[in-house]
Structures are given as C-alpha cells and as structure tokens.
Amino acid sequence: MNGIWGLVGAAVTVLGVIVTGFFTYRGTRTAAAIQAAPVAKAQEFAVLQATVERVDKENEQLRMRQSRLESIVRAFSWSFDDLRRWSRNPVGDPPDPHPLVDEYNRTGV
C-alpha cells in the first residue's frame, strides 16, 4: 500500500509542476506585455511630439509670411491712396511710395 501512496504523491507532484509551469508561463507573458506597453506608448508619444514640433515650426513660418504679406498689402494701399489723392490735386511732385513698396519694387520680396 505504501507504493500506491508513493505513486499518488508522485502524480500530484508532477501535476503541481505542470500547473506551476502553466501559471509561470502566463505570468511571464503578461509581464512582458505590461513592460512592452510603456515602450510602445513612449514611441508613439515621441512621434507625436516630433510632429507637433514640426507643425509649430511650419505655422511660425506661415505666420511670418502672412504678416509680411499683410504689411506689404497695407503699404501698397497707403501708397496708392497717396497717389490717388495727388492725382486729384497734382501740386508738386508725386508722393514717394511707402518704404516697403520701394523695397518690394527693388527686391521683389
């Protein structure tokens, strides 16, 4: 009878090793997934941050160009208005263009 209990004990031990191995495998896999998640999120965040920085730089350049264009249009308007007033009452020399108009006429920028 002693031999049967030995076999039962051995079977329970083998079954325990198999169950322990299964739970260890599941835990290791879950732990790896948990550790990989922050790395993936950090990479996504890095890509998002680089995109935001690029868009900010592009927006800054566009704002500067738009501001420059608005200034030039305003200067052309002032110069045209001065010239129109002079043409209605042409006394003396025609008015000089605004400095931005003069610069634009010289450089094209």
Side-chain angles (χ1 to χ4, degrees), residues 51-86:
T51 303
V52 167
E53 288 173 2
R54 180 183 54 82
V55 168
D56 282 346
K57 186 183 291 185
E58 288 175 2
N59 282 344
E60 181 181 347
Q61 291 171 348
L62 287 174
R63 279 189 215 107
M64 289 173 50
R65 290 182 65 192
Q66 181 180 358
S67 175
R68 175 74 176 159
L69 180 62
E70 287 173 353
S71 298
I72 290 173
V73 167
R74 192 177 308 114
F76 268 101
S77 174
W78 290 338
S79 295
F80 178 77
D81 188 47
D82 288 346
L83 193 58
R84 183 186 57 83
R85 284 190 199 145
W86 177 82

PDB file of all heavy atoms in Angstrom, residues 51-86:
ATOM      1  N   THR A  51       6.005  65.480 -34.475  1.00  0.00           N
ATOM      2  CA  THR A  51       5.030  66.029 -35.421  1.00  0.00           C
ATOM      3  C   THR A  51       4.549  67.397 -34.959  1.00  0.00           C
ATOM      4  O   THR A  51       4.448  68.332 -35.763  1.00  0.00           O
ATOM      5  CB  THR A  51       3.834  65.068 -35.578  1.00  0.00           C
ATOM      6  OG1 THR A  51       4.320  63.792 -35.999  1.00  0.00           O
ATOM      7  CG2 THR A  51       2.828  65.593 -36.576  1.00  0.00           C
ATOM      8  N   VAL A  52       4.267  67.525 -33.679  1.00  0.00           N
ATOM      9  CA  VAL A  52       3.804  68.814 -33.140  1.00  0.00           C
ATOM     10  C   VAL A  52       4.888  69.878 -33.306  1.00  0.00           C
ATOM     11  O   VAL A  52       4.594  71.009 -33.700  1.00  0.00           O
ATOM     12  CB  VAL A  52       3.390  68.661 -31.663  1.00  0.00           C
ATOM     13  CG1 VAL A  52       3.218  70.017 -30.990  1.00  0.00           C
ATOM     14  CG2 VAL A  52       2.113  67.849 -31.553  1.00  0.00           C
ATOM     15  N   GLU A  53       6.136  69.528 -33.032  1.00  0.00           N
ATOM     16  CA  GLU A  53       7.227  70.491 -33.190  1.00  0.00           C
ATOM     17  C   GLU A  53       7.373  70.923 -34.651  1.00  0.00           C
ATOM     18  O   GLU A  53       7.581  72.111 -34.937  1.00  0.00           O
ATOM     19  CB  GLU A  53       8.538  69.892 -32.683  1.00  0.00           C
ATOM     20  CG  GLU A  53       8.588  69.765 -31.170  1.00  0.00           C
ATOM     21  CD  GLU A  53       9.811  69.009 -30.679  1.00  0.00           C
ATOM     22  OE1 GLU A  53      10.655  68.610 -31.510  1.00  0.00           O
ATOM     23  OE2 GLU A  53       9.918  68.814 -29.460  1.00  0.00           O
ATOM     24  N   ARG A  54       7.245  69.982 -35.573  1.00  0.00           N
ATOM     25  CA  ARG A  54       7.352  70.312 -36.998  1.00  0.00           C
ATOM     26  C   ARG A  54       6.207  71.233 -37.427  1.00  0.00           C
ATOM     27  O   ARG A  54       6.418  72.236 -38.112  1.00  0.00           O
ATOM     28  CB  ARG A  54       7.338  69.037 -37.842  1.00  0.00           C
ATOM     29  CG  ARG A  54       7.436  69.296 -39.347  1.00  0.00           C
ATOM     30  CD  ARG A  54       7.335  68.013 -40.155  1.00  0.00           C
ATOM     31  NE  ARG A  54       6.174  67.219 -39.869  1.00  0.00           N
ATOM     32  CZ  ARG A  54       4.962  67.433 -40.393  1.00  0.00           C
ATOM     33  NH1 ARG A  54       4.765  68.428 -41.223  1.00  0.00           N
ATOM     34  NH2 ARG A  54       3.947  66.639 -40.099  1.00  0.00           N
ATOM     35  N   VAL A  55       4.996  70.907 -36.991  1.00  0.00           N
ATOM     36  CA  VAL A  55       3.836  71.730 -37.348  1.00  0.00           C
ATOM     37  C   VAL A  55       3.956  73.120 -36.727  1.00  0.00           C
ATOM     38  O   VAL A  55       3.627  74.120 -37.369  1.00  0.00           O
ATOM     39  CB  VAL A  55       2.521  71.025 -36.923  1.00  0.00           C
ATOM     40  CG1 VAL A  55       1.334  71.960 -37.017  1.00  0.00           C
ATOM     41  CG2 VAL A  55       2.290  69.791 -37.774  1.00  0.00           C
ATOM     42  N   ASP A  56       4.455  73.203 -35.484  1.00  0.00           N
ATOM     43  CA  ASP A  56       4.662  74.508 -34.855  1.00  0.00           C
ATOM     44  C   ASP A  56       5.649  75.353 -35.651  1.00  0.00           C
ATOM     45  O   ASP A  56       5.434  76.550 -35.868  1.00  0.00           O
ATOM     46  CB  ASP A  56       5.160  74.352 -33.417  1.00  0.00           C
ATOM     47  CG  ASP A  56       4.051  74.006 -32.446  1.00  0.00           C
ATOM     48  OD1 ASP A  56       2.875  74.138 -32.828  1.00  0.00           O
ATOM     49  OD2 ASP A  56       4.361  73.611 -31.304  1.00  0.00           O
ATOM     50  N   LYS A  57       6.725  74.727 -36.097  1.00  0.00           N
ATOM     51  CA  LYS A  57       7.728  75.455 -36.877  1.00  0.00           C
ATOM     52  C   LYS A  57       7.132  75.930 -38.209  1.00  0.00           C
ATOM     53  O   LYS A  57       7.338  77.075 -38.622  1.00  0.00           O
ATOM     54  CB  LYS A  57       8.942  74.562 -37.139  1.00  0.00           C
ATOM     55  CG  LYS A  57      10.089  75.297 -37.825  1.00  0.00           C
ATOM     56  CD  LYS A  57      11.248  74.369 -38.138  1.00  0.00           C
ATOM     57  CE  LYS A  57      11.924  73.928 -36.863  1.00  0.00           C
ATOM     58  NZ  LYS A  57      13.125  73.126 -37.098  1.00  0.00           N
ATOM     59  N   GLU A  58       6.378  75.055 -38.875  1.00  0.00           N
ATOM     60  CA  GLU A  58       5.739  75.440 -40.136  1.00  0.00           C
ATOM     61  C   GLU A  58       4.733  76.570 -39.919  1.00  0.00           C
ATOM     62  O   GLU A  58       4.668  77.508 -40.703  1.00  0.00           O
ATOM     63  CB  GLU A  58       5.040  74.233 -40.766  1.00  0.00           C
ATOM     64  CG  GLU A  58       5.991  73.206 -41.330  1.00  0.00           C
ATOM     65  CD  GLU A  58       5.275  71.966 -41.839  1.00  0.00           C
ATOM     66  OE1 GLU A  58       4.025  71.915 -41.780  1.00  0.00           O
ATOM     67  OE2 GLU A  58       5.967  71.049 -42.296  1.00  0.00           O
ATOM     68  N   ASN A  59       3.954  76.480 -38.827  1.00  0.00           N
ATOM     69  CA  ASN A  59       2.982  77.530 -38.538  1.00  0.00           C
ATOM     70  C   ASN A  59       3.672  78.860 -38.265  1.00  0.00           C
ATOM     71  O   ASN A  59       3.180  79.914 -38.687  1.00  0.00           O
ATOM     72  CB  ASN A  59       2.111  77.148 -37.345  1.00  0.00           C
ATOM     73  CG  ASN A  59       1.037  76.161 -37.705  1.00  0.00           C
ATOM     74  OD1 ASN A  59       0.732  75.957 -38.870  1.00  0.00           O
ATOM     75  ND2 ASN A  59       0.459  75.530 -36.699  1.00  0.00           N
ATOM     76  N   GLU A  60       4.787  78.820 -37.565  1.00  0.00           N
ATOM     77  CA  GLU A  60       5.525  80.052 -37.291  1.00  0.00           C
ATOM     78  C   GLU A  60       6.011  80.690 -38.599  1.00  0.00           C
ATOM     79  O   GLU A  60       5.888  81.905 -38.794  1.00  0.00           O
ATOM     80  CB  GLU A  60       6.722  79.766 -36.384  1.00  0.00           C
ATOM     81  CG  GLU A  60       7.520  80.993 -36.025  1.00  0.00           C
ATOM     82  CD  GLU A  60       8.711  80.666 -35.148  1.00  0.00           C
ATOM     83  OE1 GLU A  60       8.795  79.542 -34.615  1.00  0.00           O
ATOM     84  OE2 GLU A  60       9.572  81.548 -34.996  1.00  0.00           O
ATOM     85  N   GLN A  61       6.521  79.865 -39.498  1.00  0.00           N
ATOM     86  CA  GLN A  61       6.980  80.386 -40.787  1.00  0.00           C
ATOM     87  C   GLN A  61       5.805  80.961 -41.588  1.00  0.00           C
ATOM     88  O   GLN A  61       5.934  82.032 -42.199  1.00  0.00           O
ATOM     89  CB  GLN A  61       7.668  79.284 -41.592  1.00  0.00           C
ATOM     90  CG  GLN A  61       8.981  78.836 -41.009  1.00  0.00           C
ATOM     91  CD  GLN A  61       9.535  77.603 -41.704  1.00  0.00           C
ATOM     92  OE1 GLN A  61       8.844  76.954 -42.483  1.00  0.00           O
ATOM     93  NE2 GLN A  61      10.776  77.269 -41.411  1.00  0.00           N
ATOM     94  N   LEU A  62       4.671  80.270 -41.560  1.00  0.00           N
ATOM     95  CA  LEU A  62       3.498  80.767 -42.284  1.00  0.00           C
ATOM     96  C   LEU A  62       2.984  82.072 -41.680  1.00  0.00           C
ATOM     97  O   LEU A  62       2.586  82.985 -42.408  1.00  0.00           O
ATOM     98  CB  LEU A  62       2.393  79.708 -42.287  1.00  0.00           C
ATOM     99  CG  LEU A  62       2.637  78.506 -43.182  1.00  0.00           C
ATOM    100  CD1 LEU A  62       1.542  77.465 -42.971  1.00  0.00           C
ATOM    101  CD2 LEU A  62       2.690  78.920 -44.638  1.00  0.00           C
ATOM    102  N   ARG A  63       2.999  82.166 -40.346  1.00  0.00           N
ATOM    103  CA  ARG A  63       2.568  83.408 -39.701  1.00  0.00           C
ATOM    104  C   ARG A  63       3.473  84.565 -40.085  1.00  0.00           C
ATOM    105  O   ARG A  63       2.997  85.682 -40.327  1.00  0.00           O
ATOM    106  CB  ARG A  63       2.559  83.241 -38.182  1.00  0.00           C
ATOM    107  CG  ARG A  63       1.338  82.549 -37.670  1.00  0.00           C
ATOM    108  CD  ARG A  63       1.270  82.612 -36.153  1.00  0.00           C
ATOM    109  NE  ARG A  63       0.698  81.390 -35.661  1.00  0.00           N
ATOM    110  CZ  ARG A  63       1.364  80.431 -35.038  1.00  0.00           C
ATOM    111  NH1 ARG A  63       2.634  80.564 -34.767  1.00  0.00           N
ATOM    112  NH2 ARG A  63       0.752  79.349 -34.640  1.00  0.00           N
ATOM    113  N   MET A  64       4.782  84.305 -40.130  1.00  0.00           N
ATOM    114  CA  MET A  64       5.716  85.362 -40.513  1.00  0.00           C
ATOM    115  C   MET A  64       5.463  85.800 -41.958  1.00  0.00           C
ATOM    116  O   MET A  64       5.452  87.001 -42.249  1.00  0.00           O
ATOM    117  CB  MET A  64       7.157  84.888 -40.329  1.00  0.00           C
ATOM    118  CG  MET A  64       7.568  84.760 -38.873  1.00  0.00           C
ATOM    119  SD  MET A  64       9.192  84.013 -38.606  1.00  0.00           S
ATOM    120  CE  MET A  64      10.227  84.937 -39.675  1.00  0.00           C
ATOM    121  N   ARG A  65       5.259  84.843 -42.850  1.00  0.00           N
ATOM    122  CA  ARG A  65       4.998  85.179 -44.259  1.00  0.00           C
ATOM    123  C   ARG A  65       3.681  85.942 -44.392  1.00  0.00           C
ATOM    124  O   ARG A  65       3.589  86.916 -45.145  1.00  0.00           O
ATOM    125  CB  ARG A  65       4.958  83.912 -45.104  1.00  0.00           C
ATOM    126  CG  ARG A  65       6.327  83.257 -45.259  1.00  0.00           C
ATOM    127  CD  ARG A  65       6.266  82.044 -46.119  1.00  0.00           C
ATOM    128  NE  ARG A  65       5.898  82.442 -47.483  1.00  0.00           N
ATOM    129  CZ  ARG A  65       5.550  81.591 -48.422  1.00  0.00           C
ATOM    130  NH1 ARG A  65       5.525  80.307 -48.166  1.00  0.00           N
ATOM    131  NH2 ARG A  65       5.234  82.011 -49.623  1.00  0.00           N
ATOM    132  N   GLN A  66       2.660  85.514 -43.648  1.00  0.00           N
ATOM    133  CA  GLN A  66       1.373  86.182 -43.706  1.00  0.00           C
ATOM    134  C   GLN A  66       1.492  87.610 -43.169  1.00  0.00           C
ATOM    135  O   GLN A  66       0.936  88.545 -43.753  1.00  0.00           O
ATOM    136  CB  GLN A  66       0.328  85.417 -42.905  1.00  0.00           C
ATOM    137  CG  GLN A  66      -1.041  86.068 -42.944  1.00  0.00           C
ATOM    138  CD  GLN A  66      -2.074  85.303 -42.158  1.00  0.00           C
ATOM    139  OE1 GLN A  66      -1.783  84.242 -41.599  1.00  0.00           O
ATOM    140  NE2 GLN A  66      -3.278  85.827 -42.103  1.00  0.00           N
ATOM    141  N   SER A  67       2.212  87.781 -42.082  1.00  0.00           N
ATOM    142  CA  SER A  67       2.411  89.117 -41.518  1.00  0.00           C
ATOM    143  C   SER A  67       3.138  90.014 -42.520  1.00  0.00           C
ATOM    144  O   SER A  67       2.774  91.185 -42.708  1.00  0.00           O
ATOM    145  CB  SER A  67       3.204  89.009 -40.216  1.00  0.00           C
ATOM    146  OG  SER A  67       3.493  90.280 -39.716  1.00  0.00           O
ATOM    147  N   ARG A  68       4.154  89.474 -43.157  1.00  0.00           N
ATOM    148  CA  ARG A  68       4.905  90.241 -44.155  1.00  0.00           C
ATOM    149  C   ARG A  68       3.988  90.617 -45.332  1.00  0.00           C
ATOM    150  O   ARG A  68       4.009  91.758 -45.806  1.00  0.00           O
ATOM    151  CB  ARG A  68       6.094  89.416 -44.642  1.00  0.00           C
ATOM    152  CG  ARG A  68       6.883  90.034 -45.751  1.00  0.00           C
ATOM    153  CD  ARG A  68       7.718  91.169 -45.287  1.00  0.00           C
ATOM    154  NE  ARG A  68       8.525  91.653 -46.411  1.00  0.00           N
ATOM    155  CZ  ARG A  68       9.048  92.834 -46.470  1.00  0.00           C
ATOM    156  NH1 ARG A  68       8.920  93.656 -45.468  1.00  0.00           N
ATOM    157  NH2 ARG A  68       9.744  93.191 -47.513  1.00  0.00           N
ATOM    158  N   LEU A  69       3.187  89.669 -45.782  1.00  0.00           N
ATOM    159  CA  LEU A  69       2.272  89.937 -46.890  1.00  0.00           C
ATOM    160  C   LEU A  69       1.251  91.009 -46.504  1.00  0.00           C
ATOM    161  O   LEU A  69       0.967  91.922 -47.286  1.00  0.00           O
ATOM    162  CB  LEU A  69       1.559  88.654 -47.312  1.00  0.00           C
ATOM    163  CG  LEU A  69       0.574  88.781 -48.471  1.00  0.00           C
ATOM    164  CD1 LEU A  69       1.284  89.237 -49.735  1.00  0.00           C
ATOM    165  CD2 LEU A  69      -0.140  87.466 -48.693  1.00  0.00           C
ATOM    166  N   GLU A  70       0.706  90.929 -45.297  1.00  0.00           N
ATOM    167  CA  GLU A  70      -0.244  91.943 -44.842  1.00  0.00           C
ATOM    168  C   GLU A  70       0.413  93.321 -44.799  1.00  0.00           C
ATOM    169  O   GLU A  70      -0.197  94.318 -45.199  1.00  0.00           O
ATOM    170  CB  GLU A  70      -0.782  91.583 -43.459  1.00  0.00           C
ATOM    171  CG  GLU A  70      -1.755  90.426 -43.461  1.00  0.00           C
ATOM    172  CD  GLU A  70      -2.133  89.981 -42.057  1.00  0.00           C
ATOM    173  OE1 GLU A  70      -1.544  90.484 -41.069  1.00  0.00           O
ATOM    174  OE2 GLU A  70      -3.026  89.128 -41.943  1.00  0.00           O
ATOM    175  N   SER A  71       1.653  93.385 -44.343  1.00  0.00           N
ATOM    176  CA  SER A  71       2.363  94.659 -44.289  1.00  0.00           C
ATOM    177  C   SER A  71       2.572  95.237 -45.683  1.00  0.00           C
ATOM    178  O   SER A  71       2.398  96.443 -45.908  1.00  0.00           O
ATOM    179  CB  SER A  71       3.718  94.486 -43.601  1.00  0.00           C
ATOM    180  OG  SER A  71       3.552  94.063 -42.277  1.00  0.00           O
ATOM    181  N   ILE A  72       2.937  94.390 -46.623  1.00  0.00           N
ATOM    182  CA  ILE A  72       3.173  94.859 -47.994  1.00  0.00           C
ATOM    183  C   ILE A  72       1.862  95.327 -48.628  1.00  0.00           C
ATOM    184  O   ILE A  72       1.817  96.379 -49.280  1.00  0.00           O
ATOM    185  CB  ILE A  72       3.848  93.758 -48.837  1.00  0.00           C
ATOM    186  CG1 ILE A  72       5.284  93.561 -48.368  1.00  0.00           C
ATOM    187  CG2 ILE A  72       3.819  94.104 -50.315  1.00  0.00           C
ATOM    188  CD1 ILE A  72       5.994  92.394 -49.015  1.00  0.00           C
ATOM    189  N   VAL A  73       0.776  94.582 -48.427  1.00  0.00           N
ATOM    190  CA  VAL A  73      -0.518  94.981 -48.986  1.00  0.00           C
ATOM    191  C   VAL A  73      -0.950  96.319 -48.377  1.00  0.00           C
ATOM    192  O   VAL A  73      -1.426  97.210 -49.086  1.00  0.00           O
ATOM    193  CB  VAL A  73      -1.586  93.890 -48.752  1.00  0.00           C
ATOM    194  CG1 VAL A  73      -2.983  94.405 -49.040  1.00  0.00           C
ATOM    195  CG2 VAL A  73      -1.283  92.665 -49.592  1.00  0.00           C
ATOM    196  N   ARG A  74      -0.768  96.472 -47.071  1.00  0.00           N
ATOM    197  CA  ARG A  74      -1.113  97.727 -46.410  1.00  0.00           C
ATOM    198  C   ARG A  74      -0.276  98.880 -46.974  1.00  0.00           C
ATOM    199  O   ARG A  74      -0.792  99.966 -47.252  1.00  0.00           O
ATOM    200  CB  ARG A  74      -0.881  97.592 -44.901  1.00  0.00           C
ATOM    201  CG  ARG A  74      -1.475  98.714 -44.100  1.00  0.00           C
ATOM    202  CD  ARG A  74      -1.296  98.506 -42.588  1.00  0.00           C
ATOM    203  NE  ARG A  74      -1.752  97.204 -42.125  1.00  0.00           N
ATOM    204  CZ  ARG A  74      -0.941  96.255 -41.620  1.00  0.00           C
ATOM    205  NH1 ARG A  74       0.343  96.472 -41.498  1.00  0.00           N
ATOM    206  NH2 ARG A  74      -1.438  95.109 -41.236  1.00  0.00           N
ATOM    207  N   ALA A  75       1.020  98.648 -47.178  1.00  0.00           N
ATOM    208  CA  ALA A  75       1.901  99.683 -47.716  1.00  0.00           C
ATOM    209  C   ALA A  75       1.492 100.050 -49.143  1.00  0.00           C
ATOM    210  O   ALA A  75       1.489 101.231 -49.505  1.00  0.00           O
ATOM    211  CB  ALA A  75       3.352  99.205 -47.681  1.00  0.00           C
ATOM    212  N   PHE A  76       1.143  99.053 -49.968  1.00  0.00           N
ATOM    213  CA  PHE A  76       0.667  99.342 -51.325  1.00  0.00           C
ATOM    214  C   PHE A  76      -0.620 100.165 -51.271  1.00  0.00           C
ATOM    215  O   PHE A  76      -0.806 101.101 -52.045  1.00  0.00           O
ATOM    216  CB  PHE A  76       0.431  98.055 -52.120  1.00  0.00           C
ATOM    217  CG  PHE A  76       1.613  97.608 -52.903  1.00  0.00           C
ATOM    218  CD1 PHE A  76       2.423  96.580 -52.447  1.00  0.00           C
ATOM    219  CD2 PHE A  76       1.919  98.205 -54.117  1.00  0.00           C
ATOM    220  CE1 PHE A  76       3.517  96.159 -53.180  1.00  0.00           C
ATOM    221  CE2 PHE A  76       3.012  97.789 -54.859  1.00  0.00           C
ATOM    222  CZ  PHE A  76       3.818  96.767 -54.384  1.00  0.00           C
ATOM    223  N   SER A  77      -1.501  99.825 -50.343  1.00  0.00           N
ATOM    224  CA  SER A  77      -2.752 100.563 -50.204  1.00  0.00           C
ATOM    225  C   SER A  77      -2.490 102.015 -49.831  1.00  0.00           C
ATOM    226  O   SER A  77      -3.094 102.936 -50.400  1.00  0.00           O
ATOM    227  CB  SER A  77      -3.628  99.885 -49.147  1.00  0.00           C
ATOM    228  OG  SER A  77      -4.782 100.642 -48.899  1.00  0.00           O
ATOM    229  N   TRP A  78      -1.595 102.240 -48.871  1.00  0.00           N
ATOM    230  CA  TRP A  78      -1.264 103.613 -48.471  1.00  0.00           C
ATOM    231  C   TRP A  78      -0.643 104.386 -49.638  1.00  0.00           C
ATOM    232  O   TRP A  78      -0.981 105.536 -49.881  1.00  0.00           O
ATOM    233  CB  TRP A  78      -0.316 103.617 -47.287  1.00  0.00           C
ATOM    234  CG  TRP A  78      -0.920 103.167 -46.004  1.00  0.00           C
ATOM    235  CD1 TRP A  78      -2.241 103.151 -45.673  1.00  0.00           C
ATOM    236  CD2 TRP A  78      -0.222 102.649 -44.884  1.00  0.00           C
ATOM    237  NE1 TRP A  78      -2.414 102.655 -44.412  1.00  0.00           N
ATOM    238  CE2 TRP A  78      -1.187 102.337 -43.889  1.00  0.00           C
ATOM    239  CE3 TRP A  78       1.114 102.404 -44.603  1.00  0.00           C
ATOM    240  CZ2 TRP A  78      -0.853 101.817 -42.654  1.00  0.00           C
ATOM    241  CZ3 TRP A  78       1.450 101.895 -43.361  1.00  0.00           C
ATOM    242  CH2 TRP A  78       0.487 101.595 -42.402  1.00  0.00           C
ATOM    243  N   SER A  79       0.280 103.709 -50.341  1.00  0.00           N
ATOM    244  CA  SER A  79       0.943 104.373 -51.466  1.00  0.00           C
ATOM    245  C   SER A  79      -0.066 104.706 -52.564  1.00  0.00           C
ATOM    246  O   SER A  79      -0.034 105.792 -53.148  1.00  0.00           O
ATOM    247  CB  SER A  79       2.054 103.498 -52.038  1.00  0.00           C
ATOM    248  OG  SER A  79       3.076 103.333 -51.080  1.00  0.00           O
ATOM    249  N   PHE A  80      -0.972 103.789 -52.851  1.00  0.00           N
ATOM    250  CA  PHE A  80      -1.989 104.025 -53.865  1.00  0.00           C
ATOM    251  C   PHE A  80      -2.902 105.172 -53.446  1.00  0.00           C
ATOM    252  O   PHE A  80      -3.251 106.038 -54.263  1.00  0.00           O
ATOM    253  CB  PHE A  80      -2.806 102.755 -54.123  1.00  0.00           C
ATOM    254  CG  PHE A  80      -3.892 102.951 -55.122  1.00  0.00           C
ATOM    255  CD1 PHE A  80      -3.612 102.993 -56.471  1.00  0.00           C
ATOM    256  CD2 PHE A  80      -5.215 103.124 -54.708  1.00  0.00           C
ATOM    257  CE1 PHE A  80      -4.625 103.193 -57.404  1.00  0.00           C
ATOM    258  CE2 PHE A  80      -6.220 103.321 -55.629  1.00  0.00           C
ATOM    259  CZ  PHE A  80      -5.932 103.359 -56.977  1.00  0.00           C
ATOM    260  N   ASP A  81      -3.279 105.179 -52.154  1.00  0.00           N
ATOM    261  CA  ASP A  81      -4.144 106.236 -51.657  1.00  0.00           C
ATOM    262  C   ASP A  81      -3.450 107.603 -51.779  1.00  0.00           C
ATOM    263  O   ASP A  81      -4.077 108.583 -52.204  1.00  0.00           O
ATOM    264  CB  ASP A  81      -4.537 105.958 -50.211  1.00  0.00           C
ATOM    265  CG  ASP A  81      -5.592 106.919 -49.712  1.00  0.00           C
ATOM    266  OD1 ASP A  81      -6.593 107.131 -50.435  1.00  0.00           O
ATOM    267  OD2 ASP A  81      -5.407 107.466 -48.606  1.00  0.00           O
ATOM    268  N   ASP A  82      -2.164 107.670 -51.409  1.00  0.00           N
ATOM    269  CA  ASP A  82      -1.415 108.927 -51.550  1.00  0.00           C
ATOM    270  C   ASP A  82      -1.363 109.365 -53.014  1.00  0.00           C
ATOM    271  O   ASP A  82      -1.551 110.548 -53.331  1.00  0.00           O
ATOM    272  CB  ASP A  82       0.011 108.773 -51.009  1.00  0.00           C
ATOM    273  CG  ASP A  82       0.054 108.689 -49.502  1.00  0.00           C
ATOM    274  OD1 ASP A  82      -0.967 109.014 -48.858  1.00  0.00           O
ATOM    275  OD2 ASP A  82       1.117 108.282 -48.964  1.00  0.00           O
ATOM    276  N   LEU A  83      -1.098 108.421 -53.904  1.00  0.00           N
ATOM    277  CA  LEU A  83      -1.015 108.739 -55.330  1.00  0.00           C
ATOM    278  C   LEU A  83      -2.377 109.174 -55.877  1.00  0.00           C
ATOM    279  O   LEU A  83      -2.464 110.102 -56.687  1.00  0.00           O
ATOM    280  CB  LEU A  83      -0.482 107.528 -56.095  1.00  0.00           C
ATOM    281  CG  LEU A  83      -0.043 107.766 -57.523  1.00  0.00           C
ATOM    282  CD1 LEU A  83       1.048 108.835 -57.590  1.00  0.00           C
ATOM    283  CD2 LEU A  83       0.455 106.466 -58.129  1.00  0.00           C
ATOM    284  N   ARG A  84      -3.453 108.542 -55.418  1.00  0.00           N
ATOM    285  CA  ARG A  84      -4.802 108.915 -55.852  1.00  0.00           C
ATOM    286  C   ARG A  84      -5.128 110.339 -55.402  1.00  0.00           C
ATOM    287  O   ARG A  84      -5.654 111.138 -56.180  1.00  0.00           O
ATOM    288  CB  ARG A  84      -5.820 107.919 -55.286  1.00  0.00           C
ATOM    289  CG  ARG A  84      -7.254 108.184 -55.739  1.00  0.00           C
ATOM    290  CD  ARG A  84      -8.256 107.281 -55.041  1.00  0.00           C
ATOM    291  NE  ARG A  84      -8.210 107.397 -53.589  1.00  0.00           N
ATOM    292  CZ  ARG A  84      -8.845 108.363 -52.894  1.00  0.00           C
ATOM    293  NH1 ARG A  84      -9.531 109.293 -53.518  1.00  0.00           N
ATOM    294  NH2 ARG A  84      -8.780 108.377 -51.584  1.00  0.00           N
ATOM    295  N   ARG A  85      -4.817 110.638 -54.143  1.00  0.00           N
ATOM    296  CA  ARG A  85      -5.058 111.999 -53.661  1.00  0.00           C
ATOM    297  C   ARG A  85      -4.239 113.016 -54.461  1.00  0.00           C
ATOM    298  O   ARG A  85      -4.742 114.092 -54.790  1.00  0.00           O
ATOM    299  CB  ARG A  85      -4.681 112.090 -52.171  1.00  0.00           C
ATOM    300  CG  ARG A  85      -5.694 111.479 -51.276  1.00  0.00           C
ATOM    301  CD  ARG A  85      -5.384 111.805 -49.827  1.00  0.00           C
ATOM    302  NE  ARG A  85      -6.084 110.860 -48.977  1.00  0.00           N
ATOM    303  CZ  ARG A  85      -5.614 110.391 -47.847  1.00  0.00           C
ATOM    304  NH1 ARG A  85      -4.447 110.790 -47.403  1.00  0.00           N
ATOM    305  NH2 ARG A  85      -6.322 109.551 -47.149  1.00  0.00           N
ATOM    306  N   TRP A  86      -3.006 112.690 -54.746  1.00  0.00           N
ATOM    307  CA  TRP A  86      -2.150 113.602 -55.506  1.00  0.00           C
ATOM    308  C   TRP A  86      -2.704 113.816 -56.925  1.00  0.00           C
ATOM    309  O   TRP A  86      -2.682 114.921 -57.455  1.00  0.00           O
ATOM    310  CB  TRP A  86      -0.714 113.067 -55.576  1.00  0.00           C
ATOM    311  CG  TRP A  86       0.178 113.934 -56.397  1.00  0.00           C
ATOM    312  CD1 TRP A  86       0.814 115.073 -56.011  1.00  0.00           C
ATOM    313  CD2 TRP A  86       0.504 113.738 -57.774  1.00  0.00           C
ATOM    314  NE1 TRP A  86       1.519 115.607 -57.058  1.00  0.00           N
ATOM    315  CE2 TRP A  86       1.344 114.794 -58.154  1.00  0.00           C
ATOM    316  CE3 TRP A  86       0.163 112.774 -58.713  1.00  0.00           C
ATOM    317  CZ2 TRP A  86       1.852 114.920 -59.439  1.00  0.00           C
ATOM    318  CZ3 TRP A  86       0.675 112.887 -59.983  1.00  0.00           C
ATOM    319  CH2 TRP A  86       1.504 113.963 -60.335  1.00  0.00           C
TER     320      TRP A  86
END
